[in-house]
Amino acid sequence: MTQILKTITPVNGGIYVERPLATPAEAEAALARARVAQAEWRRVPVSERARLLYAAVDAFVAAGPEIAREITWQMGRPVRYTPGEVRGFEERARYMISVAEGALADIDVGPKEGFRRFIRRDPLGTVFVVAPWNYPYLTAVNAVVPALMAGNAVILKHSHQTPLCAERFAEAFGDLPPGVFQHIHADHDTTAKMIGSGAVDFVAFTGSVAGGKAVEAAAAGHFVGIGLELGGKDPGYVRADADLKHAVETLVDGAFFNSGQSCCGIERIYVHASVYDAFVESAVELTRQYVLGDPTEEATTLGPMVRASAADFVRGQTAEAVREGARALIDAKGFAADKAGTPYLAPQVLTGVDHSMRVMTEESFGPVVGIMKVASDEEAVRLMNDSPYGLTASVFTRDVDAAIAIGDQVATGTWFLNRCDYLDPALAWTGVKDSGRGCTLSTLGYDYLTRPKSFHLRLPG
């Protein structure tokens, strides 16, 4: 009997999408097609791959208005913001295509009399991309486009919350040779079996720490390359010399955009004592201006979380912190749509928090942020590093040299000055500790989607 995927929209709790899940035989067939197609695709010149993928990006952008609306209905982000994901997809895809020729070029190791020596970057084979719902295109494009540019075949398995995203990829990439790009709707068991089949050469996974561990377990013993982009508890630090207005606007947006459902969103803020009161007052004032409601309405600036259980988790974290001495500065009654047992959750700012509380140490992935007072850079660094995660971290200051010096002490994949919650495709996207391993984006991202092959040639005569 065929299993059916059912996507429940957080907008109104109805069924938005239904799709049959792949059978084991269908999964095996997809892997076999990828293997055959990749053998030919790897021989296609990089310039021709680029031509085809630029055309695919054009097709994707042309469908942008419909894609943006689908994002809202699948995962709840307000319609005023979802077009930004299409623009972000385009920016990242075009950049990674544009740098591919140089990133994939042979490496000349220098002259040696009587020899020619170089290192070639060979594609891995079949890349299996397992993508999440929170930024369904931005997370997937980081791996899909460079994997294809590197000469790999790609199979995309998207979240059950956002299955239409995989189908939109397939539509845009429809002019690629058959089997080079495929998508599959699969349950956890089939996904694990694909990873451990011996027919996958690399897994690019974005999701939870638990999901990352499941991927590692499925791949165990098969020597499969794995890239993991996992959780975060990303901090922001406001120094005494910061532009306070800019810091408030940037950090509040970093905490609450996408209802806080961002792996690199701001989940904890440390503020120098001299500006702490002013920062908190301004942050609370700005937070109260959010409009929580139906994400299909243009006026809404804060949509529902992906599901009621996720919202209830954040409610539980917040209530526990308050019981332990924290102060909740936002009255949820000011947000009429906030209702227990639903995915609609008001934003919350907490003070009186410390690292004995889960809300400051455990990933929330929702619209709540704790703010702590600190006395020095040293205290801020200690607290920023007091976390099992290390995806991004931010400092707000007018002193660039100090920012770099502090950044050198913080265990994180990306260090921001006067901004947060953003990916520049020219920079490596990576994490430390439980935030994952590997790298996407930038020219370095291609290192993880290829293997080096050395040519050591003794010349005739």
Side-chain angles (χ1 to χ4, degrees):
M1 182 176 178
T2 302
Q3 291 183 292
I4 301 297
L5 175 163
K6 294 185 179 182
T7 298
I8 306 299
T9 173
V11 177
N12 58 22
I15 297 175
Y16 182 63
V17 180
E18 291 186 276
R19 291 289 187 273
L21 291 171
T23 65
E26 289 169 335
E28 289 177 12
L31 290 167
R33 283 192 297 270
R35 185 69 66 192
V36 171
Q38 193 271 332
E40 295 300 320
W41 178 245
R42 63 174 293 155
R43 296 185 176 89
V44 174
V46 174
S47 59
E48 176 62 10
R49 294 179 209 156
R51 185 189 69 78
L52 290 167
L53 286 174
Y54 275 132
V57 175
D58 291 341
F60 182 89
V61 173
E66 294 82 8
I67 288 171
R69 283 193 291 273
E70 289 170 358
I71 294 172
T72 295
W73 278 97
Q74 288 175 99
M75 55 74 62
R77 191 182 315 143
V79 290
R80 67 190 293 157
Y81 300 129
T82 47
E85 183 144 0
V86 178
R87 294 191 295 270
F89 172 99
E90 181 180 17
E91 178 191 24
R92 296 184 194 180
R94 292 195 189 282
Y95 180 83
M96 293 306 291
I97 296 168
S98 73
V99 300
E101 191 106 38
L104 297 169
D106 291 347
I107 301 170
D108 185 344
V109 299
K112 183 178 181 181
E113 187 175 354
F115 291 87
R116 182 183 173 199
R117 302 171 302 158
F118 61 91
I119 302 168
R120 181 155 288 171
R121 301 180 190 274
D122 267 5
L124 299 176
T126 297
V127 174
F128 189 29
V129 179
V130 183
W133 52 265
N134 62 320
Y135 284 94
Y137 293 105
L138 294 184
T139 51
V141 72
N142 292 352
V144 169
V145 166
L148 291 169
M149 282 303 303
N152 299 293
V154 170
I155 300 176
L156 172 62
K157 184 264 179 219
H158 226 297
S159 165
H160 287 192
Q161 193 66 40
T162 46
L164 296 184
C165 298
E167 296 173 16
R168 287 290 189 178
F169 266 99
E171 290 171 8
F173 294 164
D175 287 339
L176 296 183
V180 169
F181 176 87
Q182 301 174 77
H183 76 280
I184 190 168
H185 300 308
D187 61 18
H188 291 320
D189 184 58
T190 299
T191 300
K193 287 178 178 175
M194 291 176 70
I195 293 170
S197 66
V200 166
D201 301 288
F202 188 85
V203 182
F205 173 82
T206 304
S208 67
V209 173
K213 291 179 179 179
V215 169
E216 286 193 329
H222 293 279
F223 309 114
V224 175
I226 300 174
L228 301 174
E229 203 263 85
L230 308 176
K233 191 72 183 175
D234 290 3
Y237 169 38
V238 182
R239 296 181 84 227
D241 67 340
D243 178 336
L244 206 59
K245 183 175 184 292
H246 174 73
V248 169
E249 291 173 349
T250 305
L251 288 168
V252 168
D253 179 71
F256 299 133
F257 189 82
N258 207 40
S259 298
Q261 298 168 129
S262 173
C263 52
C264 60
I266 292 295
E267 296 212 357
R268 50 199 175 108
I269 302 173
Y270 307 101
V271 184
H272 191 272
S274 63
V275 293
Y276 176 83
D277 290 340
F279 180 91
V280 170
E281 181 181 358
S282 296
V284 168
E285 180 182 354
L286 184 57
T287 301
R288 287 174 178 154
Q289 296 174 27
Y290 278 90
V291 178
L292 174 68
D294 184 342
T296 66
E297 297 179 0
E298 282 289 340
T300 298
T301 57
L302 194 70
M305 293 188 66
V306 68
R307 59 183 66 90
S309 59
D312 285 342
F313 174 81
V314 178
R315 288 186 178 101
Q317 266 193 344
T318 301
E320 181 182 279
V322 170
R323 288 194 301 270
E324 294 172 352
R327 291 182 60 216
L329 302 184
I330 304 298
D331 186 353
K333 293 178 182 177
F335 297 83
D338 181 299
K339 293 178 182 174
T342 79
Y344 288 86
L345 175 63
Q348 186 56 265
V349 175
L350 300 174
T351 57
V353 291
D354 60 45
H355 281 216
S356 70
M357 300 174 183
R358 285 194 306 145
V359 77
M360 293 299 286
T361 58
E362 182 181 74
E363 186 174 32
S364 302
F365 218 63
V368 60
V369 65
I371 307 177
M372 284 181 66
K373 183 187 300 184
V374 296
S376 65
D377 291 346
E378 291 74 20
E379 184 180 9
V381 167
R382 178 179 61 79
L383 290 167
M384 283 190 281
N385 282 335
D386 183 26
S387 173
Y389 300 105
L391 190 56
T392 78
S394 309
V395 65
F396 289 77
T397 178
R398 300 176 194 271
D399 188 334
V400 176
D401 290 337
I404 294 171
I406 296 167
D408 276 336
Q409 301 171 62
V410 176
T412 187
T414 295
W415 176 246
F416 291 108
L417 167 61
N418 297 331
R419 79 177 314 177
C420 62
D421 193 25
Y422 180 78
L423 276 72
D424 182 333
L427 294 173
W429 187 243
T430 183
V432 300
K433 298 188 278 189
D434 282 356
S435 286
R437 70 179 189 189
C439 167
T440 58
L441 298 178
S442 81
T443 56
L444 297 183
Y446 280 102
D447 292 347
Y448 292 81
L449 296 165
T450 56
R451 62 171 61 88
K453 183 175 182 179
S454 294
F455 284 73
H456 191 164
L457 311 176
R458 181 189 291 273
L459 300 178

